[in-house]
Amino acid sequence: MEDETIVELLYRRDEGALEELEGKYGPGLLRLAGRFLKSREDVEEAVNDTWLAAWNTIPPQRPEHLFAYLARLCRFAALGQVDRLTAQKRSATVVELSGELEQCLPDPAAERRMEEGEVTEAINGFLAALDREKRVIFLRRYWYGDPVREIAHRMGMGESRVKTTLFRLRKKLKEHLEQEGIFL
């Protein structure tokens, strides 16, 4: 079923839309949540939270790119699960990703508030200026949480090249944010 049709079903509050979403996007969202959560139950809970969030936000939202919208909801649900599960103790994956970006972002909570304004616009501007390859590498690592090895395989390049590219992109992001008046 086409995304526009699924969105229309959600607008009509037809529960069949949830079945369509689960069939079409469930496996991808399970993989995405699995990047941040260890147990199958927690992954499934994050995806179920995604379906609920989609139900509660469509309407009034009318996402142009349905999977991207769902992935955003799922990512935030999974990270919320990580926060609830670990409270004071962070998982290695989240610590690694946060550690890589902490030199660029103005504060630890900024990643979750990106939709709120200035930081979002600045990062979107930075990403828009990148060539496709660099943008994909950056998003696969810091949005989807892909391991360097998987990004290297996906992009057909060596792991060291991916690591170097990420290092340089973080440095450029920091410079870009400072130019936009956003400081650490």
Side-chain angles (χ1 to χ4, degrees), residues 28 31-32 35-36 67 71 75 97 100 127 132-148 150-152 154-155 162 166 169:
R31 279 190 303 278
L32 175 61
R35 298 269 187 229
F36 302 100
F67 180 74
R75 186 173 187 277
L97 293 174
E100 289 177 15
L127 292 172
R132 183 183 185 285
E133 179 180 90
K134 289 177 182 161
R135 186 171 45 248
V136 168
I137 291 170
F138 187 91
L139 290 173
R140 294 303 320 175
R141 181 69 177 148
Y142 300 119
W143 181 256
Y144 293 103
D146 288 355
V148 170
E150 188 174 310
I151 296 168
R154 177 186 295 262
M155 301 299 292
V162 171
L166 289 168
L169 288 173

Side-chain angles (χ1 to χ4, degrees), residues 90-105:
R90 300 293 236 169
S91 73
T93 302
V94 174
V95 168
E96 180 183 352
L97 293 174
S98 298
E100 289 177 15
L101 280 177
E102 74 183 0
Q103 299 170 12
C104 304
L105 295 177

